[in-house]
């Protein structure tokens, strides 16, 4: 399989019967690995990571989380973190084979709760991509403000791409309009982001709710698997001191930084991200 191989599409059933769409790369006989994107993204955030990991011998599954991409939206607009964790448990049970979970931001938080709170998902290892037990509120506010920006949408995918470039000035500007288009949907004669706008109601005011840091640390300690925290070297969401504190309080966790990457590590520096996780993946057998 080449790094540019097109994925297969597969459906899964999440918690309470919600339908989830996933891209799959790799051989059916290979060990499973699940890529979980961040809030406001889609499975296409992993369009370069998935095929590369498949060439390394993994069966890679990248779902759209509920309310994102072509997965179903929550009927009542409920996007509590616990529901995302239940979806991860359902995915793990459907795949079998004790998959590795790699989760960015919201995907990482969901994976952490699924792995560390009862009933604990049967996984082999956990990679947290620029997420720990406590975010920097200024970084989170910047992301939420971007998600709230331009509710009317865009005239074209190119206009959306220009908006992303302004939001991420550290990232080289891309001409990959098709990549942006996969994260948009048509709404009349406009293009809007491919996620349920009601997600923002769940995010608003809940960036660091009382007791959440302790809950996440407890989940990390109870997750009886190796944990790797991959921090973006210039992230404004996971500060260096918070990453250090997480690893100090979770004995089986270790950390690696990806230089010149912000919060969206794989999107910013995909090859460096893969280089950072390969030793960890090789070490878990």
């Amino acid at each position: 399989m080449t790094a540019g191989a097109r994925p297969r599409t597969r459906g899964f059933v999440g918690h309470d019967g919600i339908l989830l769409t996933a891209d799959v790369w790799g051989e059916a006989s290979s060990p499973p690995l699940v890529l979980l994107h961040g809030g406001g993204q889609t499975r296409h955030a992993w369009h370069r990571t998935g095929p590369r990991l498949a060439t390394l011998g993994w069966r890679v599954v990248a779902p759209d989380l509920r309310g994102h991409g072509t997965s179903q939206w929550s009927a009542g607009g409920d996007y509590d973190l616990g529901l995302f964790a239940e979806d991860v448990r359902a995915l793990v049970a459907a795949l079998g084979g004790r998959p590795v979970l790699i989760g960015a931001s919201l995907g990482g938080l969901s994976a952490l709760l699924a792995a560390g709170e009862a009933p604990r998902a049967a996984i082999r290892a956990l990679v947290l991509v620029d997420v720990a037990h406590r975010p920097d509120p200024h970084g989170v506010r910047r992301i939420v403000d971007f998600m709230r920006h331009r509710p009317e949408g865009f005239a074209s995918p190119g206009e959306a791409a220009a908006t992303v470039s302004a939001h991420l000035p550290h990232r080289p500007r891309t001409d990959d309009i098709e990549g942006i288009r996969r994260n948009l949907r048509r709404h009349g004669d406009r293009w809007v982001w491919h996620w349920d706008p009601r997600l923002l109601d769940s995010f608003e005011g809940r960036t660091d709710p009382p007791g959440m840091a302790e809950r996440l640390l407890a989940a990390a300690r109870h997750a009886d698997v190796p944990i790797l925290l991959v921090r973006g070297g210039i992230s404004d969401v996971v500060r260096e001191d918070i990453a250090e504190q997480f690893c100090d309080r979770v004995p089986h966790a270790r950390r690696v930084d990806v230089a010149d990457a912000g919060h969206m590590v794989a999107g910013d520096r995909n090859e460096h991200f893969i280089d950072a996780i390969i030793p960890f993946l090789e070490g878990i057998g």
Side-chain angles (χ1 to χ4, degrees), residues 146-156 159-160 163 184-193 195 197:
F146 174 77
M147 293 175 70
R148 286 199 178 279
H149 186 53
R150 299 293 294 271
E152 76 283 4
F154 307 94
S156 67
E159 186 179 26
T163 302
L184 298 163
R185 61 183 175 86
R186 290 304 296 263
H187 184 66
D189 62 350
R190 306 288 289 177
W191 294 83
V192 297
W193 297 118
W195 42 264

Side-chain angles (χ1 to χ4, degrees), residues 215-274:
R215 179 184 177 187
L216 292 170
L217 282 170
R221 288 192 292 265
H222 288 121
D224 190 22
V225 295
I227 296 176
L228 178 67
L229 169 56
V230 182
R231 176 181 173 271
I234 57 173
S235 172
D236 62 351
V237 175
V238 178
R239 298 194 313 264
E240 186 170 6
D241 62 313
I242 293 297
E244 289 179 358
Q245 185 181 89
F246 181 86
C247 292
D248 286 343
R249 297 182 64 177
V250 182
H252 51 285
R254 52 193 173 102
R255 166 192 158 203
V256 62
D257 287 11
V258 176
D260 300 321
H263 181 56
M264 291 184 282
V265 182
D268 288 351
R269 306 277 283 178
N270 186 64
E271 291 304 315
H272 292 80
F273 167 69
I274 292 172

Side-chain angles (χ1 to χ4, degrees), residues 108-134:
L109 295 174
S110 307
L112 180 54
L113 292 185
E117 292 188 340
R120 291 188 292 179
I123 68 170
R124 184 181 304 183
L126 175 61
V127 179
L128 301 173
V129 185
D130 210 62
V131 64
H133 59 297
R134 174 169 285 139

